[in-house]
């Protein structure tokens, strides 16, 4: 279960609205490599993780990603406060505004709605951890792309924090992967799925006598 | 980044240190030095949270220490000014 701590993991205090930027940044709320996909990916993958280190890291990074999801929402919310219809029209925020006013809704920068197909939970710890390592890198790339578009320090600052966290998470998932591999056959780490057929190959057929 | 409220700044700093050492300990549970740091920052975070809560109200729903429902008071985290 979870309990809310009534603060952000990192402060967001934006004085200058910027709806155009909000439309870019919302991709980390509901886009393909966004924080919601990250949180659901890790929290869903926990159930197929046989080893304690992996269970702990998936739980705790999955939880931290929820806090990042909230930081992104706070940034988008503060970038779109008190907009006038004229600002909405001139900034290109119109299509989003028509459907959601200035409410927060999970979509990618290009308007595609959040979809669970954006992450995998494959029931195989090696497969899942490789997915997670790639996911952290993709999120970091997205933050790099966002940072090239941002000039306002109030926005840069929390985005830089989030970018740094992707790097730390990549490191921790790498360590979790190493731990999973330590439990496996060192001549063939991918010989079987430790979540489903512990200690044996997945083939059910009998050898010819 | 510094936030304007020094009591809250301490909560952010110690809270972050706690998040970071916890992830490290998840994959290095036998690291004694890391465990000592956890114990040190755990105490610092508890102190920072209670100092903040005394002046500004609860950060956690089980820490409403008054006869009125201060949990619901603004500001909420996404509104800024925190
Ligand atoms: Fe992450």
């Amino acid at each position: 279960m979870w309990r809310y701590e009534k603060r952000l993991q990192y402060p967001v205090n934006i004085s200058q609205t910027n709806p155009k930027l909000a439309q870019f940044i919302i991709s980390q709320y509901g886009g393909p490599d966004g924080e919601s996909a990250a949180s659901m990916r890790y929290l869903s993958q926990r159930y197929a993780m046989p080893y304690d280190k992996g269970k702990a890291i998936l739980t705790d990074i999955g939880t931290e990603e929820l806090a990042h999801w909230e930081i992104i929402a706070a940034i988008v919310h503060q970038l779109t406060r008190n907009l006038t219809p004229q600002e909405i029209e001139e900034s290109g925020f119109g299509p989003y505004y028509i459907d959601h006013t200035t409410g927060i809704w999970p979509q990618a920068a290009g308007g595609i709605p959040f979809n669970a197909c954006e992450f995998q939970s494959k029931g195989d710890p090696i497969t899942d951890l490789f997915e997670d390592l790639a996911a952290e890198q993709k999120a970091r790339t997205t933050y790099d792309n966002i940072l090239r578009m941002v000039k306002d320090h109030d926005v840069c600052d929390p985005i830089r924090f989030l970018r740094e966290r992707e790097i730390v998470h990549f490191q921790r998932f790498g360590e979790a992967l190493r731990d999973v591999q330590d439990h496996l056959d060192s001549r063939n780490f991918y010989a079987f799925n430790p979540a489903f057929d512990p200690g044996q190959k997945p083939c059910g057929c009998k050898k010819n006598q | 980044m510094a936030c304007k409220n020094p009591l809250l700044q301490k909560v952010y700093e110690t809270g972050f240190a706690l998040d970071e050492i916890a992830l490290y300990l998840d994959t290095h549970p036998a690291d004694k030095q890391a465990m000592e740091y956890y114990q040190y920052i755990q105490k610092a975070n508890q102190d920072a949270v209670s100092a903040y809560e005394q002046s500004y109200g609860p950060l956690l729903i089980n820490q409403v220490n008054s006869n009125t429902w201060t949990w619901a008071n603004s500001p909420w985290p996404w509104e800024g000014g925190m």
Side-chain angles (χ1 to χ4, degrees):
Chain A
M1 67 92 75
W2 279 264
R3 263 198 192 145
Y4 189 62
E5 188 167 337
K6 201 177 164 188
R7 66 174 177 98
L8 300 179
Q9 193 196 16
Y10 192 89
V12 176
N13 292 299
I14 296 168
S15 43
Q16 198 62 44
T17 59
N18 186 336
K20 193 181 192 101
L21 202 50
Q23 221 178 347
F24 297 154
I25 292 174
I26 201 152
S27 222
Q28 282 302 87
Y29 193 75
D33 307 305
E35 301 291 355
S36 51
S39 182
M40 286 183 212
R41 174 186 302 112
Y42 308 143
L43 294 177
S44 299
Q45 289 175 356
R46 294 183 296 166
Y47 308 97
M49 172 55 73
Y51 312 117
D52 282 351
K53 286 182 187 175
K55 289 177 201 176
I57 208 71
L58 287 168
T59 301
D60 296 336
I61 295 182
T63 300
E64 186 179 340
E65 305 291 13
L66 275 180
H68 295 174
W69 195 49
E70 188 187 30
I71 291 175
I72 292 293
I75 293 172
V76 172
H77 171 66
Q78 293 181 29
L79 283 172
T80 56
R81 272 192 294 206
N82 311 315
L83 294 179
T84 63
Q86 197 193 345
E87 284 172 310
I88 289 167
E89 218 185 324
E90 284 168 4
S91 64
F93 192 67
Y96 182 94
Y97 160 82
I98 293 300
D99 289 330
H100 310 290
T101 327
T102 55
I104 302 291
W105 189 72
Q107 69 163 48
I112 303 149
F114 176 71
N115 187 321
C117 296
E118 284 157 352
F119 65 88
Q120 296 299 321
S121 175
K122 204 67 184 171
D124 185 323
I126 295 251
T127 310
D128 284 348
L129 284 167
F130 272 97
E131 157 102 5
D132 303 345
L133 287 160
E136 294 295 333
Q137 290 190 318
K138 287 186 278 183
R140 201 218 68 224
T141 304
T142 310
Y143 283 125
D144 283 338
N145 295 345
I146 289 170
L147 282 168
R148 287 185 202 105
M149 301 288 132
V150 184
K151 278 155 203 88
D152 181 352
H153 174 267
D154 292 350
V155 183
C156 270
D157 189 53
I159 296 286
R160 275 204 205 102
F161 169 81
L162 294 168
R163 180 190 180 279
E164 283 300 311
R165 299 310 291 156
E166 309 304 349
I167 296 165
V168 173
H169 293 172
F170 182 85
Q171 172 72 22
R172 299 283 97 91
F173 281 131
E175 291 157 359
L177 177 62
R178 198 167 57 189
D179 178 65
V180 170
Q181 288 176 328
D182 284 345
H183 287 86
L184 303 180
D185 179 349
S186 66
R187 288 163 305 168
N188 184 354
F189 287 132
Y190 209 58
F192 60 89
N193 174 1
F196 202 76
D197 4 68
Q200 59 196 339
K201 298 211 165 91
C203 181
C205 28
K206 291 195 180 86
K207 265 195 193 130
N208 289 336
Q209 296 293 359
Chain B
M1 131 152 242
C3 85
K4 282 174 206 124
N5 181 333
L7 289 178
L8 187 56
Q9 177 68 19
K10 263 262 158 298
V11 173
Y12 279 122
E13 285 172 9
T14 57
F16 175 69
L18 202 58
D19 293 341
E20 178 68 336
I21 196 68
L23 293 190
Y24 178 84
L25 279 163
D26 280 348
T27 53
H28 304 78
D31 187 327
K32 285 208 182 75
Q33 219 186 330
M35 196 61 219
E36 275 164 29
Y37 182 73
Y38 172 84
Q39 283 157 348
Y40 157 76
I41 207 69
Q42 174 190 43
K43 170 87 172 59
N45 180 247
Q46 281 163 357
D47 293 348
V49 169
S50 3
Y52 176 85
E53 285 179 328
Q54 259 168 30
S55 308
Y56 298 98
L59 286 174
L60 294 163
I61 203 161
N62 61 357
Q63 293 300 322
V64 179
N65 297 313
S66 66
N67 296 323
T68 54
W69 190 238
T70 48
W71 172 254
N73 292 357
S74 286
W76 283 82
W78 55 87
E79 294 170 336
M82 265 190 92

